[in-house]
Amino acid sequence: MVKNYINFLQFVTTFIFLTFLSSKIHAQCAGNDNTNELICNISDPANRSISLFSLLGGNPVPGGTWSDDDGSRGLDTATGILSAQIIRSGGTYHYTYTAPVTAGCTDNKATVTLTIGAYAGVAAPYASECSNKKTFNLFTAFNGTVMGPHLNGIWTDSDGETVDSTIPIEGLSGTFTFNYTVPAVLLCSPVSPSVTVIVTINKAPEAGETNDAFICETDVANYTNFDLNTLISGQDPEGQWTGMGLSSPTDHIVDIQDLYNKNGPRTFTYTYKAFFVPSNNNNGVVCPDDEESLVISIEKKLDFTGAKVKIENDICAPEIPRAFYTARITQGTQAIPDGQYRVRFNVSGPDSGTETVVSYFVNGIAIFPISREYFKQVGDYTVTIEYIYLSSTRGACINIINDLSDVLHVYPLPDLNTVELLANPVCQNEIATVQITNGTQLADGNYDIQYNITGDNVATGQSANFTMSGGNASFDIPAILSAKSGAVTITITNITNTATGCTNSAFKSVNLTINPLPNATTVSVAVNNFCLNEPFPVSISGLGNLTNAKISYILSEGNSSTMQTITQDVADGKLDFVIPAELLLNAGTTKITLLNLTNILTNCDVDLINIADDFIIYPIPAAPAVLNQEFCKVDEAAVANLVPNGNQYKWYSSPTSTTPLASALILESGNYYVKETSSEGCTSEAATVVVTINDSPAPVLNSDGQNFCGLNNPTIADLSNNTNIPQAVAWYDAPENGNLLSATTPLMEQGRYYGFNFPSTDCFSTEYIEVTVTLTNCDNIPNNFFVPDGFSPNGDGVNDSFVIKDIEFLYPNYTLEIYNRYGNGMYKGDKNKPAWDGMNYEKSGLAGGVAPNGVYFYVLHFNKDNKPPQQGRLYLNR
């Protein structure tokens, strides 16, 4: 094996030499590239400093610079001295020498190649650490007097599992073995070097982790036998407690009530100490003792029942940047000791926050400032005191604080900048209402304003009051200020919030239109005569230039009504509408009287005097006397067949229809309505005639009634017997204009037949049943049936084709193949191609496609019930 490895090295060396031979010729200024220099014993002190320049071949020019091509580290690029032991992993590395520019040659670079052997290092004679150090770096377990190991190796534990170089040791104790293996560098050795490291972990004293206890003075009775060990965890059990109330180093029970009774509220400190226990495996390492302390604090409980807090002071918005705020807490029924306190308060509102401040109670009163940063915008702020504790306590007692809060108001200036004013047009001498919307900067509440009016009506220094709710409000302009029609401008000049006293100047305007009253002097009304229950159009004229109007009116005499109102467009001074039918229930003379006219566009109105008209309502004739009528559907009776008939009678599809039915319209079962028209053109109520169009139901085919066996020669009579009305069904060969088929008509395979109900005492049916017959439903199939043994296709009309009779009924999916005596196919057939006429359909070129006389062979495939094919022969004789 060693011999093979030496041969391998000789081969590699020769290959490298030949590879770099050509490059040596062209690097004369920088020298020639070296062959690969093997440094397998990297720990040799001689390898601490290697001159790369001395490894160059040829005649290199000194004074150049070096570069570390692979970033191996350890190279002084100015001197070319390589500290090879600094390289932290084995492998092949390249270093390039660049000759100085003054050498004057174009090829001024040469490369030195080194292979560094793998090195696993030398373990220290011992490695020890205390477990309180948390972790241990395995690389510190090497001998520090020699070269350190390469860092590209892998650590494994005694179980062969890979581990990190830094291992956790907290809580461990004992001796542990680890192996460190670095990858082999094959040019030096095929074996990966490794080293074993033994680490001893000494258990350090552990005082554990402690928790402080804070006890309210009202609870000390529950702690007469308090175990300090409940406040510590993870400690060595052999440790000792020290502190007030303990009787010995091993004592850990404290009577807290007794401490309170003797000392009052105060803080007591206790210390637990764990001691290092040496062993034979310490390797001279001594771990320090460990100790942890805790405090037990007995605190006083305070009662703030009845206490009050006042936040000063409410302001208007302009004062926000310069306002100062203070909170004043006044003690309640219990006297609060003077001293320093931690006070936590919460501010909720447009801005919010929680803060703990230090304040001092003096004679039952604590005063502290609150930053204006909590009140940077308009709104209501609730300041709530959440807790108050003496600064010297930890809050073990839940001091009694009930509802201790106050509300600070930062009021907005009443600001009209965002509001929108709307004044809907009014009529002369009416109160005008100004609507205020989008008042986002006006809080809900009551406001006083000052305003002026200019335009066709003039007034200054007017006052008004309104209540704002949700950004909306309104105020009225007295009717006396709208005496003239035309346009005016209302301008608000000042606004004051009556609740907060905050006031602000304003300049907000809205235009108001004051509309004139309509002219009633030319108005007239006219109504024509019509039949009872017909629309009665009313025509009103003389409306001038109105475009839309509302008219109030009443009816009297033959028909009377309460006041009615209609709204209608006006065109050319005229308005038309129809009196509601429910107001005109009686025939005779009726009077309409107009009462009021309103201009819809302006909503201005005027009463109408003595504007009326009389009109006649003609009576309606009685409905015609009628009887219900029946017809056969097949007869296609029409409206002209209905009675009564004549010019005064008209038939309709509904009692409310106004369009008569055409006389040629074919009747259907249902209601028809006839009306009579009088000489005045009045039409009666509709009389209802129930028309019945009789029809017989279509026959119903029995289950599987379409299935027959062709061997039985079924006929139309057999098909009739397979229906629910065998004596009344009539069969045709088409659904329309078909031929009536006699009972003896043979049924055909896949034939379609159409059956109608033709009862002797009822109407012939218009609907039919369509049946597609199959003749292959044969249950009793003979084992053998006749297959002809010959035929004579000579065109004499007798036995001219080879056919197997009735096979299509028994085996509808059969196939037939015929071959000559040479096994050549002559014919393939089935129920769609049942007869062979003696022609060669397989090879039409043979004898012109005509099969010669002779013996032929057939194969009959039944393709049913797994029946095997039948073979036989036949004779063709022309």
Side-chain angles (χ1 to χ4, degrees):
M1 178 177 179
V2 174
K3 180 178 180 182
N4 291 338
Y5 183 70
I6 293 173
N7 291 337
F8 171 76
L9 291 179
Q10 290 174 345
F11 170 78
V12 171
T13 304
T14 302
F15 175 78
I16 295 173
F17 172 79
L18 294 175
T19 301
F20 288 95
L21 180 59
S22 60
S23 62
K24 289 182 179 181
I25 300 173
H26 303 286
Q28 296 303 314
C29 290
N32 297 326
D33 297 348
N34 77 317
T35 57
N36 190 2
E37 184 75 20
L38 301 180
I39 305 177
C40 296
N41 186 15
I42 187 62
S43 62
D44 187 337
N47 294 321
R48 293 177 183 173
S49 178
I50 299 173
S51 173
L52 297 181
F53 191 84
S54 65
L55 298 179
L56 290 171
N59 298 302
V61 177
T65 58
W66 288 87
S67 63
D68 187 346
D69 300 346
D70 301 309
S72 64
R73 301 167 55 192
L75 174 66
D76 185 333
T77 57
T79 65
I81 299 301
L82 175 67
S83 297
Q85 291 185 350
I86 294 179
I87 299 174
R88 307 317 294 164
S89 62
T92 299
Y93 299 92
H94 305 85
Y95 304 90
T96 298
Y97 177 69
T98 302
V101 177
T102 57
C105 56
T106 58
D107 189 357
N108 62 343
K109 293 181 183 294
T111 300
V112 171
T113 302
L114 299 179
T115 295
I116 306 297
Y119 181 63
V122 177
Y126 64 88
S128 297
E129 188 57 275
C130 293
S131 60
N132 61 344
K133 295 300 183 180
K134 310 298 184 184
T135 61
F136 180 75
N137 187 343
L138 293 174
F139 281 113
T140 64
F142 285 92
N143 193 331
T145 63
V146 296
M147 171 185 170
H150 284 169
L151 301 180
N152 61 330
I154 296 175
W155 286 99
T156 56
D157 59 17
S158 59
D159 295 326
E161 297 292 331
T162 301
V163 298
D164 291 335
S165 60
T166 299
I167 60 172
I169 63 172
E170 184 176 12
L172 297 180
S173 65
T175 300
F176 302 89
T177 301
F178 299 92
N179 289 317
Y180 182 64
T181 305
V182 295
V185 176
L186 296 181
L187 290 178
C188 287
S189 172
V191 178
S192 297
S194 64
V195 65
T196 298
V197 172
I198 298 176
V199 180
T200 299
I201 307 300
N202 299 300
K203 184 173 186 317
E206 177 56 63
E209 295 182 0
T210 60
N211 296 301
D212 296 333
F214 301 94
I215 301 172
C216 187
E217 64 179 355
T218 58
D219 299 327
V220 294
N222 299 324
Y223 299 93
T224 59
N225 194 30
F226 186 75
D227 189 348
L228 293 176
N229 286 338
T230 62
L231 297 179
I232 191 169
S233 62
Q235 77 279 15
D236 292 342
E238 297 82 6
Q240 297 178 354
W241 286 99
T242 57
M244 185 177 292
L246 296 174
S247 61
S248 69
T250 60
D251 188 11
H252 52 85
I253 302 300
V254 178
D255 186 344
I256 295 179
Q257 184 179 28
D258 183 63
L259 292 175
Y260 172 73
N261 292 338
K262 294 177 179 178
N263 302 279
R266 60 163 287 185
T267 296
F268 304 89
T269 300
Y270 297 89
T271 300
Y272 184 83
K273 187 172 185 178
F275 303 94
F276 176 69
V277 179
S279 67
N280 294 329
N281 297 324
N282 288 81
N283 291 329
V285 175
V286 176
C287 299
D289 294 339
D290 190 24
E291 65 179 32
E292 290 289 337
S293 296
L294 60 84
V295 297
I296 297 176
S297 178
I298 303 174
E299 299 180 357
K300 182 174 180 59
K301 186 170 186 175
L302 301 177
D303 187 352
F304 289 89
T305 300
K308 303 293 182 182
V309 62
K310 176 63 178 175
I311 310 301
E312 298 176 342
N313 283 313
D314 297 342
I315 63 170
C316 294
E319 302 172 67
I320 290 176
R322 59 182 183 275
F324 291 94
Y325 306 95
T326 58
R328 174 187 292 266
I329 301 175
T330 304
Q331 67 185 15
T333 55
Q334 184 189 80
I336 303 301
D338 290 351
Q340 185 187 78
Y341 287 79
R342 300 191 311 276
V343 180
R344 185 173 73 186
F345 64 88
N346 171 266
V347 179
S348 61
D351 296 312
S352 61
T354 299
E355 185 178 352
T356 300
V357 299
V358 173
S359 184
Y360 294 86
F361 267 93
V362 178
N363 298 325
I365 296 176
I367 300 174
F368 58 90
I370 298 181
S371 171
R372 68 168 66 99
E373 293 300 313
Y374 291 112
F375 314 105
K376 294 187 294 185
Q377 54 184 313
V378 168
D380 296 334
Y381 298 84
T382 299
V383 180
T384 302
I385 306 301
E386 295 185 338
Y387 71 65
I388 306 174
Y389 291 107
L390 272 167
S391 297
S392 58
T393 66
R394 294 290 295 274
C397 297
I398 301 177
N399 293 334
I400 300 173
I401 298 178
N402 296 320
D403 183 14
L404 194 55
S405 64
D406 191 24
V407 177
L408 175 75
H409 304 282
V410 178
Y411 296 116
L413 279 185
D415 191 345
L416 295 176
N417 286 336
T418 64
V419 304
E420 297 179 4
L421 302 181
L422 174 65
N424 291 322
V426 296
C427 301
Q428 291 173 260
N429 301 318
E430 283 186 352
I431 295 174
T433 299
V434 178
Q435 300 290 337
I436 302 175
T437 60
N438 199 33
T440 57
Q441 298 186 24
L442 292 177
D444 289 353
N446 191 264
Y447 294 86
D448 289 332
I449 60 170
Q450 299 290 320
Y451 68 90
N452 297 327
I453 297 178
T454 57
D456 291 318
N457 293 281
V458 177
T460 59
Q462 302 298 308
S463 299
N465 177 271
F466 62 80
T467 299
M468 179 65 64
S469 176
N472 301 313
S474 65
F475 64 92
D476 292 335
I477 305 297
I480 193 173
L481 299 180
S482 59
K484 299 179 182 178
S485 64
V488 299
T489 298
I490 303 166
T491 302
I492 300 175
T493 59
N494 185 272
I495 181 170
T496 301
N497 185 322
T498 60
T500 67
C502 296
T503 186
N504 197 8
S505 60
F507 187 82
K508 202 70 175 181
S509 299
V510 63
N511 294 324
L512 171 67
T513 299
I514 302 173
N515 294 311
L517 301 177
N519 184 5
T521 58
T522 59
V523 177
S524 63
V525 60
V527 182
N528 293 327
N529 302 329
F530 289 97
C531 298
L532 184 66
N533 299 331
E534 287 188 353
F536 276 76
V538 178
S539 178
I540 300 175
S541 58
L543 298 178
N545 59 359
L546 296 181
T547 58
N548 191 279
K550 179 171 70 175
I551 300 290
S552 299
Y553 67 93
I554 59 170
L555 301 177
S556 59
E557 298 184 5
N559 293 279
S560 60
S561 71
T562 59
M563 186 178 71
Q564 305 295 309
T565 300
I566 61 97
T567 300
Q568 197 80 21
D569 289 338
V570 177
D572 297 327
K574 296 181 179 180
L575 178 152
D576 296 325
F577 71 95
V578 176
I579 299 174
E582 64 270 16
L583 300 180
L584 301 175
L585 302 178
N586 304 314
T589 301
T590 297
K591 174 180 284 189
I592 183 172
T593 302
L594 304 187
L595 302 176
N596 184 271
L597 168 63
T598 301
N599 183 344
I600 293 300
L601 296 182
T602 64
N603 205 35
C604 297
D605 69 298
V606 64
D607 291 335
L608 302 175
I609 307 300
N610 296 327
I611 300 177
D613 188 32
D614 294 330
F615 56 93
I616 299 174
I617 301 174
Y618 297 120
I620 302 298
V626 294
L627 296 174
N628 295 335
Q629 302 171 45
E630 294 187 6
F631 303 91
C632 280
K633 185 175 181 179
V634 72
D635 295 333
E636 297 185 342
V639 170
N641 300 109
L642 295 172
V643 290
N645 49 38
N647 293 335
Q648 71 274 34
Y649 298 105
K650 302 293 182 185
W651 290 89
Y652 300 87
S653 61
S654 73
T656 59
S657 176
T658 58
T659 302
L661 298 174
S663 59
L665 179 68
I666 300 300
L667 297 176
E668 297 178 356
S669 293
N671 294 341
Y672 289 80
Y673 305 89
V674 60
K675 299 178 184 179
E676 181 179 355
T677 303
S678 67
S679 59
E680 290 86 7
C682 298
T683 301
S684 70
E685 290 293 323
T688 303
V689 174
V690 178
V691 173
T692 302
I693 305 300
N694 295 315
D695 192 10
S696 296
V700 177
L701 186 68
N702 296 339
S703 177
D704 294 329
Q706 75 278 13
N707 298 326
F708 298 89
C709 181
L711 299 178
N712 299 328
N713 298 316
T715 64
I716 285 295
D718 297 313
L719 184 58
S720 297
N721 290 332
N722 284 355
T723 67
N724 63 328
I725 49 171
Q727 303 302 320
V729 61
W731 295 95
Y732 290 82
D733 58 6
E736 296 181 4
N737 301 320
N739 298 309
L740 179 63
L741 303 177
S742 68
T744 60
T745 301
L747 297 179
M748 303 297 293
E749 169 68 12
Q750 296 301 312
R752 291 189 179 182
Y753 303 91
Y754 304 88
F756 292 83
N757 190 346
F758 192 15
S760 59
T761 59
D762 205 346
C763 298
F764 192 89
S765 73
T766 57
E767 300 296 326
Y768 59 87
I769 181 175
E770 179 181 339
V771 179
T772 300
V773 169
T774 175
L775 302 180
T776 61
N777 189 31
C778 299
D779 294 328
N780 298 320
I781 301 175
N783 292 329
N784 296 299
F785 55 91
F786 176 72
V787 178
D789 58 1
F791 70 111
S792 56
N794 52 16
D796 61 358
V798 178
N799 202 22
D800 281 336
S801 60
F802 179 76
V803 177
I804 302 175
K805 188 175 185 306
D806 295 333
I807 190 172
E808 68 273 15
F809 303 132
L810 301 175
Y811 300 98
N813 295 321
Y814 81 95
T815 58
L816 176 65
E817 300 173 358
I818 297 177
Y819 301 88
N820 63 14
R821 60 182 178 174
Y822 303 108
N824 297 322
M826 304 295 292
Y827 170 79
K828 290 183 180 179
D830 53 25
K831 69 177 182 179
N832 297 316
K833 185 182 175 185
W836 183 39
D837 59 2
M839 298 299 291
N840 183 355
Y841 291 100
E842 296 298 317
K843 293 183 179 180
S844 59
L846 181 63
V850 177
N853 292 345
V855 176
Y856 293 85
F857 302 90
Y858 69 86
V859 179
L860 177 60
H861 298 274
F862 297 98
N863 296 326
K864 181 177 180 182
D865 299 332
N866 294 321
K867 183 177 179 64
Q870 177 177 323
Q871 299 180 2
R873 66 182 180 177
L874 61 96
Y875 184 74
L876 186 155
N877 184 15
R878 296 186 184 278

